[in-house]
Amino acid sequence: MAAIAESSRAALAAMGTTPRELAGAACSAPGPLNHLSGIVYDAPNINGFADVHLAAGLAKALGIDSVFVDRDTVMAAIGRMLRGVGNIAGEIGHWPVALEGPRCGCGSYGCVESLAAGRFLAEAYGVDDAARVYAAAASGDARAVAILARAEAALGNLAITLVNGLNPSLIVIGGSIAEHEPAHTLEPMRRAIDTRAFRVAADAVRLVPPGLGRDVGMLGAVISARERLAGRGEWFL
């Protein structure tokens, strides 16, 4: 929280303003969380980040009255979204796509995140950055190639599940891995859809990177704060 507040103050200083001039702020966070109370229940991939009163803590740290918190996936896709009865709908990174695999941060196994997320790719290869795994694979390292092949298969399975199960017209794939390694993320997902999904569903869908780039979650947070402060937040609560 201290780091987030420090980053916020630095951004405000760069614009020549202060927290006192803010009507409010919003912050995206991993879930599960309560978007009304601003409490993060348990973030699987951040050890010890459980029952954190994030909204209240940031409001106090910044010295402002209103801070709104929502899940990172929601902030990135502000619109008429499905929240689910327990507010965890949309956590597709934790959909199981394999019958076995490494233990995920959520406690399960076979999750697409545990097989394809940057952190887990690096752990599987024994390094601190997924970029080194991609570099090793590009140079022909057999172990790195196998790790990425497994990740691509997991992403392909996820893509088919989304297309066959939800029949969407558009799937947006964001994140740093997709941004820097589309040939290992977007392309295998497109191939899986084209070769294995229901034909009618496959022909109807486009799989694309986010049009707003890496700032999509931050922009969603701005919209969230603006709408909720103006009393128009009911449409996504």
Side-chain angles (χ1 to χ4, degrees):
M1 265 189 275
I4 295 171
E6 181 181 350
S7 174
S8 301
R9 283 191 289 268
L12 290 167
M15 296 186 293
T17 188
T18 66
R20 289 191 301 273
E21 298 175 75
L22 291 179
C27 177
S28 64
L33 56 77
N34 186 316
H35 63 290
L36 298 177
S37 66
I39 298 173
V40 179
Y41 294 135
D42 185 16
N45 295 318
I46 307 178
N47 292 333
F49 206 76
D51 296 319
V52 176
H53 291 243
L54 186 56
L58 288 177
K60 182 178 179 181
L62 291 171
I64 61 178
D65 294 328
S66 300
V67 173
F68 305 108
V69 169
D70 215 325
R71 284 182 292 133
D72 46 5
T73 50
V74 171
M75 291 299 200
I78 286 294
R80 182 68 70 174
M81 76 286 293
L82 175 68
R83 285 196 177 275
V85 69
N87 191 37
I88 60 168
E91 293 289 347
I92 62 172
H94 297 287
W95 285 10
V97 294
L99 296 178
E100 59 184 22
R103 185 69 65 178
C104 184
C106 71
S108 185
Y109 63 89
C111 299
V112 65
E113 181 168 311
S114 69
L115 296 166
R119 165 195 165 190
F120 291 98
L121 293 177
E123 285 184 3
Y125 193 63
V127 294
D128 59 357
D129 191 335
R132 296 174 63 183
V133 185
Y134 288 102
S139 67
D141 182 275
R143 190 159 65 93
V145 168
I147 290 171
L148 294 189
R150 184 178 68 171
E152 292 180 15
L155 290 170
N157 286 349
L158 174 64
I160 293 165
T161 301
L162 290 171
V163 170
N164 286 357
L166 301 178
N167 190 204
S169 62
L170 184 70
I171 299 174
V172 182
I173 303 296
S176 60
I177 296 293
E179 178 185 0
H180 297 292
E181 298 290 343
H184 293 287
T185 50
L186 276 72
E187 290 307 318
M189 295 179 81
R190 287 171 177 148
R191 287 196 299 271
I193 291 170
D194 186 56
T195 58
R196 296 167 54 204
F198 292 139
R199 188 73 267 144
V200 172
D203 289 344
V205 69
R206 289 189 302 125
L207 189 144
V208 300
L212 296 174
R214 66 177 64 186
D215 290 338
V216 61
M218 199 176 301
L219 292 169
V222 172
I223 295 169
S224 170
R226 183 190 68 191
E227 296 297 288
R228 293 176 72 171
L229 284 167
R232 297 189 298 266
E234 294 82 2
W235 60 278
F236 66 89
L237 295 180

